[in-house]
Amino acid sequence: MEEPVTTRSAPAVNPYLVPLSIVVAGMCIAAALYFSNTGASMGNANPTPSPEVVPAANIAEVIDPVTDEDHVRGNASAKVTIIEYSDFQCPFCSTLHPTLKRVMEENADDVRWVYRHFPLESIHPEARPAAIASECVASLGGDAAFWNYADKLFENQSTLGSATFASLATEVGVDAGAFANCLTSGEFESKIDAHMTDAVEVGGTGTPHTIVLVGDKAYPIKGALPYASVKAVVDQALAE
């Protein structure tokens, strides 16, 4: 599942329609899980997905290229690139994060992971502040500090806020005063906006939205698919 982008508040709900809506929602979720694992059959505990290959002209040539401004985990010159558009307050992003960490641990030389921001501000009020905080940590402590901080933000997702941002920054070795000054500088607002624009241009309709790139092919992964499904996509990319 993924956290959908929304820009409007939800309308009032008729209480008599709630039971029906629950049934419909359940059917939608079941359908989403089924089609997220194409090829799964009844009783198959390890379904093998058939990821859609998107032509380069549709994604690979549209997506912003990876630069020194990006946060890269793994081998910078790896064959396969995972670009994740994520939100530090999104529960589905928190679910996917350890999955991608495991993929990286198993393919450190062949895969690189690029983190880009896609804060859903209308439903996650701490998402943009968390993104700004992570960029401040990166500017003051480097990319290793960024990834350490990102891990900690997801681990402490239930307490996101100014106090958590500051304490975690100190934990990863960033000067508290410099961090506080950076938070109010506005230096990284345009970078986050650019990431959000890029996410939408490559088909992002919610978080997490992940693109696995290899050569001139792109494999989109929408939502927090289980490890086996993500691994199957990465393995297919590695086999190209």
Side-chain angles (χ1 to χ4, degrees), residues 91-218:
F92 300 116
C93 300
S94 180
T95 298
L96 182 65
H97 195 74
T99 294
L100 294 182
K101 286 180 68 175
R102 181 177 172 184
V103 168
M104 289 303 304
E105 289 168 359
E106 296 172 351
N107 302 276
D109 293 332
D110 300 316
V111 178
R112 62 177 179 172
W113 174 11
V114 177
Y115 186 100
R116 290 178 178 172
H117 303 289
F118 195 11
L120 308 185
E121 300 174 72
S122 63
I123 55 176
H124 297 153
E126 298 298 338
R128 179 177 280 265
I132 292 171
S134 71
E135 289 297 332
C136 286
V137 165
S139 69
L140 297 168
D143 224 29
F146 168 84
W147 284 104
N148 192 4
Y149 192 71
D151 292 344
K152 290 179 179 295
L153 286 175
F154 281 121
E155 291 166 4
N156 294 273
Q157 191 176 68
S158 63
T159 63
L160 292 184
S162 56
T164 295
F165 299 150
S167 64
L168 294 182
T170 301
E171 285 185 25
V172 300
V174 170
D175 179 78
F179 177 75
N181 290 334
C182 179
L183 289 180
T184 59
S185 69
E187 179 181 355
F188 298 107
E189 296 286 356
S190 60
K191 179 177 183 177
I192 294 169
D193 289 341
H195 283 186
M196 295 174 70
T197 298
D198 189 39
V200 172
E201 288 178 347
V202 298
T205 56
T207 54
H209 185 69
T210 309
I211 307 294
V212 178
L213 294 170
V214 56
D216 62 352
K217 294 180 180 178

